[in-house]
Amino acid sequence: MISRTETHDVVVCGGGLAGFAAAIAAARNGAKTCLVHNRPVLGGNSSSEVGVTPHGAAAFHAYARETGIISEALIEERARNHAEIYENGWTNSVWDIVLYDMVQQTPGLILHLNTDVRGVEMADARTIRAVHAVIQNAETELRLEARTFIDCTGDGIVADAAGCHWRMGSEGKDEFQEPHAPEKASKDTMGNSIHFLCRDMGRPVPFKAPDWAVKHEDASYFYEQGRIPKDVRGGFWWIEIGVPYDTIHDSETIRHELTRHALGVWDWMKNKDPKTMEACKNYALDWIGQVPGKRESRRITGRYFMTEHDVLNRTVFPDEIAFGGWFVDLHTPGGLLAKTSEPSAAVGGHDNEYDTFSEYSAMSYCGPYGIPLRILLAKDCDNLMMAGRNVSVTHAALGTARVMGTTALMGEAAGVAAALGVARGHGFDQLVSEDIAEIQERLLRNGCFLPNHTSNALASTLQGTKVTASSDAPVHGVAPETPGFHEGLKIWKDQPQYSIERLESRRGQLIATDGGRLDFIELCLSNSGSSPVEVDVVLLQADHIWDYRTEPGAPLATGKISVPSGGPHWVRWNLSLELPSGIEAGSFLRLDLLPDKRISWHAAQKVIPGHMAMYAISPARMRRFGNGHTLAYRISPAPRPFDPAQVLSGVTRPHRRTNLWVSDPAQPLPQHLELSWEKPRMISSVQLVFPGHLIREYHAYGPFYRDAQCPRDYRIEVESDGVWREVAAVTDNYQRLRRHSWEQSLAATRLRVVVTATNGDPSASIYEVRCD
Ligand SMILES: Cc1cc2nc3c(=O)[nH]c(=O)nc-3n(C[C@H](O)[C@H](O)[C@H](O)COP(=O)(O)OP(=O)(O)OC[C@H]3O[C@@H](n4cnc5c(N)ncnc54)[C@H](O)[C@@H]3O)c2cc1C
């Protein structure tokens, strides 16, 4: 063994998506950063070694996909990867290399792979001086000193070694009265899992399970308890084992048991199950993961303890730094060794789109909700942060917060906060009380989204800025046959979507307004009855696109429309309505139809940005309809909710407003957006946030995917001293966030972004322009 000491500002332990994002964020924010990871590839559970597909809020909420560092990586992966990522277990090395490439391209970031953190060296009872690690294949001990440490090991190894308080198991209902908490506190955690992948050989191939594999004989074990072998290609999250084992100390025993079971499940599917045998005939077991993914172990106690109540009530935290939106997804302790796989799956809620009305499913649907910085700051240590599944949340709250889109957002926030703390010499209390606005601003600047905070800096630096455009899009509505560009609507698959067009429950369609007059709205409806049917219609004002209240306020209008038998028909609702003053341009109305099973409201192929639909799952609650589809409607006069001033809203996705400039699709490209100032403004850089990539999760999209809405070719021009200069020209873009800077500041009176081509959409569109 040889020994070496390194000194850094920030050391991040564990290179899952939380640690990856934390390290990149810390380095980008000026801290000398080191990332230590005990596997040969980055990504943790998402890596090709484990193969869990990163999920997040967009699985349940349209336009809620996580942005910032995680979206840079995921957009890059889809654009570069030749392979479809259908399910868990399909991840290939392209993803590992995308992550590795991003780390390599980050100045100030040192990476140690295959390096296991073994312990800590304390400066005093509340301060870590260094972590001790071993490079497993190099007979080398590392002593890594730093000002701040971030524990992203999942198991909270650093926190444990530093003597921090942590919890493991389930809180009982008596402690926080959480709806999903079990009656009694216990040591139960969710389990570890491995995945397998099968390949079509084009001819029948045999499979013989080893004698030590589990022998499955009982169809009800699979089909009645939420373990549906629904695809011959593999990818089953329910190959999971936790209790009676300890997910940390019995990890190897669990791995062996999982291997026995995985082989047994494939044996069942291929050789015994009448429902799958034929389909499996030509399939061979190609890959079986041997690095189990862990869902749950230690949760380190932080300066706030987030419970399920915070999630369900969407608590507004002053120190909000991230958001979540996966459902409260708690698997049955024991997994394969228990009776059912997961309460929701056993009643059909997880995998069966028709069962989203069950009480359990309705209770589990949550978000988007805010996450506070304080759950990332260890209570018992003054220089230890954490991000990932080991943060300060209850077992029930971990049910939603553990998915990797969310953990990566936490990581990015921890990295930003750590770097800022180091630069300012501030401790955790100051980060929360004095620096939080700056942390939030930095996150927003990097294209992140916070449900309850918008960018103040953008508003103040752009005061006095006038925004105009060559055109902006009127919204006439969409018909079922209007061509669409959102590939992600077609491909995916098994999250609850409720694609039934029939009005089995209340249905709402968001419609962005410019606050003017509304003469009529027409809806594309069919009536399966033999005579006309009167349907109740309600026009409401929505606070934002995830305002799932069935009654968000007093209706702006109510009425009845008569739907003739058969169809589809365009049925008109005459409104002749002057919208009340105070409704902002780009904000959302909601048109609801009350239920009548004879009536269907047809979905359109094209999605108008932000214009998603929802359906009632309980008397008070709605949820996203379809995959973020727009239902067919026409409106007159056509509002113009995508006006150019939306690019200064400080929000880079549809939320309370569209927050998006869209050029008129009837006018050919190039189209441009122009910022102008009465007094010249010194500018040396421009940051642009482009649309696309938000409506669904990344693996809904095919190989080599580039979002149609995203500008492909564009240039930036600046007018200075009466002369126009081109300061940037880009071709072949598919990324959402682009920065351009030049050496000499220019005294600009006007700045133009000229979009000459998109990746498929006829309109040019932009969420945000920042000039510095
Ligand atoms: C089978 C399964 C299915 C799941 N399904 C989904 C899903 O579909 N989508 C989704 O988003 N989430 C899913 N989850 C949850 C999600 O994968 C985890 O919650 C998530 O990986 C947590 O991220 P993390 O970065 O905190 O931890 P991890 O991904 O576990 O990363 C932590 C990394 O730290 C490394 N490490 C540990 N100890 C040390 C040490 N001493 N020194 C150095 N490095 C160390 C580990 O090797 C690990 O790679 C699933 C989990 C499992 C197990």
Side-chain angles (χ1 to χ4, degrees):
M1 278 282 185
I2 57 170
S3 302
R4 204 167 76 220
T5 291
E6 291 178 8
T7 304
H8 304 279
D9 293 330
V10 176
V11 167
V12 180
C13 304
L17 289 185
F20 162 79
I24 292 202
R28 283 185 183 174
N29 281 272
K32 191 174 163 239
T33 305
C34 172
L35 174 59
V36 198
H37 184 48
N38 65 1
R39 304 298 314 165
V41 290
L42 292 163
N45 282 359
S46 81
S47 70
S48 65
E49 285 191 321
V50 185
V52 176
T53 47
H55 275 309
F60 297 93
H61 311 283
Y63 304 96
R65 197 163 136 183
E66 294 75 15
T67 44
I69 291 169
I70 183 67
S71 78
E72 263 177 69
L74 290 171
I75 291 169
E76 203 57 48
E77 189 275 348
R78 278 299 75 198
R80 285 191 209 175
N81 204 337
H82 58 280
E84 184 190 346
I85 304 297
Y86 168 71
E87 244 302 355
N88 288 340
W90 283 53
T91 310
N92 62 15
S93 301
V94 175
W95 175 237
D96 302 337
I97 295 297
V98 163
L99 300 179
Y100 191 71
D101 183 23
M102 278 178 72
V103 167
Q104 294 306 322
Q105 296 210 34
T106 304
L109 176 55
I110 305 276
L111 172 67
H112 292 299
L113 289 180
N114 295 305
T115 303
D116 200 33
V117 174
R118 299 272 168 89
V120 302
E121 184 184 314
M122 301 298 287
D124 59 51
R126 293 189 59 89
T127 316
I128 302 172
R129 176 179 291 133
V131 291
H132 290 215
V134 172
I135 308 180
Q136 293 154 354
N137 51 6
E139 294 186 11
T140 302
E141 284 177 343
L142 288 179
R143 185 174 164 274
L144 300 168
E145 292 181 334
R147 304 264 294 279
T148 300
F149 298 84
I150 310 181
D151 187 340
C152 299
T153 60
D155 284 344
I157 285 160
V158 183
D160 179 53
C164 295
H165 181 264
W166 48 261
R167 293 173 177 232
M168 188 163 159
S170 309
E171 287 76 15
K173 207 163 229 144
D174 55 334
E175 192 171 2
F176 300 108
Q177 293 77 47
E178 295 171 298
H180 280 82
E183 285 309 315
K184 285 203 162 82
S186 72
K187 290 186 173 168
D188 291 353
T189 59
M190 289 177 280
N192 302 353
S193 287
I194 61 174
H195 299 297
F196 64 80
L197 176 66
C198 301
R199 193 177 295 281
D200 186 355
M201 304 308 291
R203 64 187 164 81
V205 283
F207 173 73
K208 184 170 179 330
D211 288 345
W212 47 268
V214 172
K215 293 184 179 37
H216 285 290
E217 308 290 346
D218 177 10
S220 68
Y221 176 82
F222 294 97
Y223 292 103
E224 288 169 27
Q225 303 304 339
R227 301 180 184 101
I228 315 294
K230 64 180 174 217
D231 197 290
V232 293
R233 297 170 292 180
F236 308 133
W237 57 266
W238 44 262
I239 300 187
E240 166 179 2
I241 293 180
V243 289
Y245 303 107
D246 174 311
T247 53
I248 296 177
H249 297 107
D250 298 327
S251 187
E252 272 303 287
T253 309
I254 296 176
R255 182 195 54 70
H256 176 65
E257 286 305 309
L258 285 167
T259 308
R260 287 188 345 102
H261 272 278
L263 293 166
V265 168
W266 178 237
D267 184 34
W268 160 260
M269 290 172 66
K270 183 142 174 94
N271 299 325
K272 300 176 192 168
D273 183 353
K275 289 193 183 173
T276 55
M277 271 168 68
E278 182 56 29
C280 291
K281 204 164 63 185
N282 290 0
Y283 277 78
L285 183 61
D286 191 59
W287 174 84
I288 178 161
Q290 284 296 281
V291 180
K294 272 188 203 168
R295 286 184 180 81
E296 183 175 6
S297 52
R298 296 190 185 100
R299 292 171 280 116
I300 307 157
T301 306
R303 297 180 184 213
Y304 184 81
F305 196 51
M306 193 170 93
T307 69
E308 190 188 351
H309 296 296
D310 293 317
V311 167
L312 299 182
N313 300 332
R314 294 184 302 286
T315 305
V316 177
F317 296 106
D319 57 333
E320 178 178 275
I321 41 74
F323 71 96
W326 186 254
F327 73 117
V328 182
D329 175 9
L330 292 167
H331 301 193
T332 311
L336 288 166
L337 308 182
K339 186 161 181 257
T340 65
S341 59
E342 181 217 17
S344 161
V347 298
H350 187 65
D351 287 336
N352 179 347
E353 65 184 54
Y354 303 106
D355 215 11
T356 55
F357 298 103
S358 79
E359 204 184 320
Y360 190 91
S361 289
M363 181 173 86
S364 307
Y365 187 68
C366 65
Y369 57 87
I371 294 175
L373 177 65
R374 284 164 295 154
I375 71 164
L376 313 182
L377 308 176
K379 179 170 77 63
D380 299 325
C381 190
D382 293 331
N383 65 342
L384 179 65
M385 296 184 176
M386 52 270 187
R389 63 181 172 80
N390 56 8
V391 293
S392 183
V393 294
T394 58
H395 166 77
L398 187 69
T400 153
R402 75 171 182 281
V403 287
M404 291 180 278
T406 312
T407 59
L409 292 183
M410 295 185 214
E412 179 160 356
V416 169
L420 192 69
V422 165
R424 291 186 175 175
H426 282 179
F428 289 175
D429 289 344
Q430 283 163 301
L431 285 181
V432 175
S433 59
E434 292 174 33
D435 301 325
I436 191 64
E438 175 65 16
I439 294 167
Q440 289 165 337
E441 198 57 51
R442 288 187 187 196
L443 292 168
L444 293 168
R445 169 174 278 272
N446 198 33
C448 290
F449 170 73
L450 300 174
N452 299 292
H453 295 271
T454 53
S455 173
N456 296 326
L458 184 70
S460 61
T461 53
L462 290 180
Q463 247 172 22
T465 302
K466 193 172 154 210
V467 199
T468 53
S470 50
S471 69
D472 64 291
V475 177
H476 299 281
V478 269
E481 63 279 6
T482 313
F485 310 98
H486 283 81
E487 192 187 331
L489 292 181
K490 281 182 270 164
I491 291 181
W492 218 45
K493 112 178 169 310
D494 65 356
Q495 291 308 320
Q497 299 168 6
Y498 198 67
S499 53
I500 308 169
E501 294 180 324
R502 204 170 55 235
L503 289 183
E504 296 209 333
S505 75
R506 183 178 183 137
R507 184 76 44 88
Q509 172 60 51
L510 294 173
I511 298 175
T513 175
D514 56 9
R517 200 185 146 65
L518 243 177
D519 289 338
F520 65 81
I521 298 178
E522 290 176 336
L523 308 176
C524 187
L525 306 172
S526 292
N527 172 2
S528 63
S530 51
S531 51
V533 170
E534 295 243 297
V535 188
D536 288 298
V537 271
V538 185
L539 187 70
L540 300 146
Q541 203 181 339
D543 264 9
H544 51 82
I545 64 166
W546 307 304
D547 186 348
Y548 295 124
R549 295 170 295 172
T550 44
E551 309 275 357
L556 297 169
T558 56
K560 285 187 187 296
I561 51 174
S562 178
V563 187
S565 175
H569 307 283
W570 283 102
V571 182
R572 180 171 293 193
W573 183 22
N574 282 313
L575 279 147
S576 301
L577 182 71
E578 204 63 56
L579 288 169
S581 59
I583 293 191
E584 278 186 60
S587 64
F588 288 93
L589 306 176
R590 200 177 82 207
L591 181 76
D592 282 13
L593 284 193
L594 299 196
D596 190 313
K597 285 186 184 169
R598 292 166 294 181
I599 303 301
S600 294
W601 188 353
H602 298 288
Q605 282 181 51
K606 179 182 158 118
V607 173
I608 310 174
H611 287 58
M612 62 172 227
M614 48 184 92
Y615 66 99
I617 48 171
S618 70
R621 237 24 251 292
M622 302 182 92
R623 70 183 280 167
R624 180 193 63 192
F625 169 82
N627 282 327
H629 285 93
T630 305
L631 296 168
Y633 77 94
R634 297 197 292 229
I635 187 166
S636 179
R640 306 185 86 95
F642 298 111
D643 59 297
Q646 298 291 335
V647 301
L648 302 186
S649 70
V651 182
T652 51
R653 68 177 66 211
H655 186 220
R656 296 185 192 284
R657 290 157 50 179
T658 57
N659 299 315
L660 178 68
W661 164 66
V662 179
S663 74
D664 184 350
Q667 298 195 33
L669 298 175
Q671 293 286 314
H672 71 262
L673 184 85
E674 183 174 300
L675 275 57
S676 59
W677 300 274
E678 272 180 19
K679 285 192 200 146
R681 202 191 139 91
M682 299 308 290
I683 297 178
S684 60
S685 73
V686 171
Q687 176 178 298
L688 303 167
V689 182
F690 294 129
H693 310 109
L694 293 174
I695 194 165
R696 298 290 295 146
E697 293 189 300
Y698 91 108
H699 54 301
Y701 299 95
F704 299 124
Y705 181 74
R706 292 163 178 225
D707 200 290
Q709 278 185 286
C710 188
R712 190 191 72 192
D713 303 339
Y714 63 90
R715 59 180 190 270
I716 302 174
E717 299 166 348
V718 173
E719 186 194 51
S720 180
D721 299 327
V723 180
W724 280 99
R725 288 164 227 240
E726 184 177 281
V727 290
V730 174
T731 53
D732 208 26
N733 174 60
Y734 47 84
Q735 273 289 354
R736 164 182 159 86
L737 189 141
R738 295 295 306 257
R739 286 195 186 91
H740 303 281
S741 51
W742 48 96
E743 279 189 359
Q744 289 251 300
S745 289
L746 291 171
T749 40
R750 289 194 285 172
L751 181 140
R752 261 187 204 161
V753 184
V754 184
V755 177
T756 49
T758 68
N759 284 292
D761 197 306
S763 291
S765 32
I766 300 178
Y767 277 122
E768 186 170 280
V769 181
R770 285 179 186 245
C771 309
D772 293 300

